Amino acid sequence: QGQLVESGGELVQAGGSLRLSCAASGLTFSTYRMGWFRQTPGKEREFVAAISKSGGGTYFANSVKGRFTISRDNAKNTVYLQMNSLKPEDTATYYCAADPTYYRPYARVESYDYWGQGTQVTVSS
């Protein structure tokens, strides 16, 4: 059974940077497209970024484009989310997720089979 564990979330000032990590185990990491989503209380989980199995393709929500980057290290079974120029509206619980296909819509929650427990990012103004 696949397991994903996020880390790196913390309190940061607006304009600052954070790097989130997501370590995978129990699955063949290189065969999964990986995504990052975020959620705030009372709102639906929203897409942030995704990366193809090889890392050659990356996709971003408009709200984070130009500020966030996503990368992966298949040798370490880890996906990263580098977040720069953080804004208070980026405050959320961030989740990583794994999709075993290449054809499911990458921005949909339903496309992902495995989810981590989340890591809290708080951006103060």
Side-chain angles (χ1 to χ4, degrees):
Q1 185 74 5
Q3 185 176 11
L4 304 175
V5 178
E6 303 96 334
S7 61
E10 62 181 67
L11 172 65
V12 64
Q13 287 192 334
S17 297
L18 278 179
R19 188 176 83 155
L20 305 183
S21 300
C22 171
S25 61
L27 51 82
T28 306
F29 182 72
S30 62
T31 67
Y32 283 78
R33 183 168 63 187
M34 299 299 295
W36 285 96
F37 288 74
R38 65 188 182 187
Q39 189 171 25
T40 54
K43 293 190 176 181
E44 292 187 354
R45 195 166 293 190
E46 66 171 3
F47 170 74
V48 175
I51 188 166
S52 65
K53 300 175 184 183
S54 67
T58 57
Y59 317 92
F60 298 93
N62 287 336
S63 59
V64 306
K65 202 171 292 184
R67 300 188 297 121
F68 290 12
T69 59
I70 186 171
S71 61
R72 65 190 296 162
D73 186 335
N74 285 346
K76 295 183 178 180
N77 291 350
T78 302
V79 61
Y80 306 96
L81 185 68
Q82 177 67 43
M83 305 186 295
N84 299 327
S85 302
L86 282 161
K87 305 176 181 179
E89 51 264 43
D90 294 318
T91 295
T93 301
Y94 283 72
Y95 299 88
C96 71
D99 167 17
T101 76
Y102 64 89
Y103 54 82
R104 294 176 185 171
Y106 57 78
R108 292 190 62 186
V109 169
E110 296 78 7
S111 295
Y112 295 82
D113 289 1
Y114 296 104
W115 291 85
Q117 83 291 345
T119 186
Q120 178 67 37
V121 172
T122 303
V123 184
S124 64
S125 56

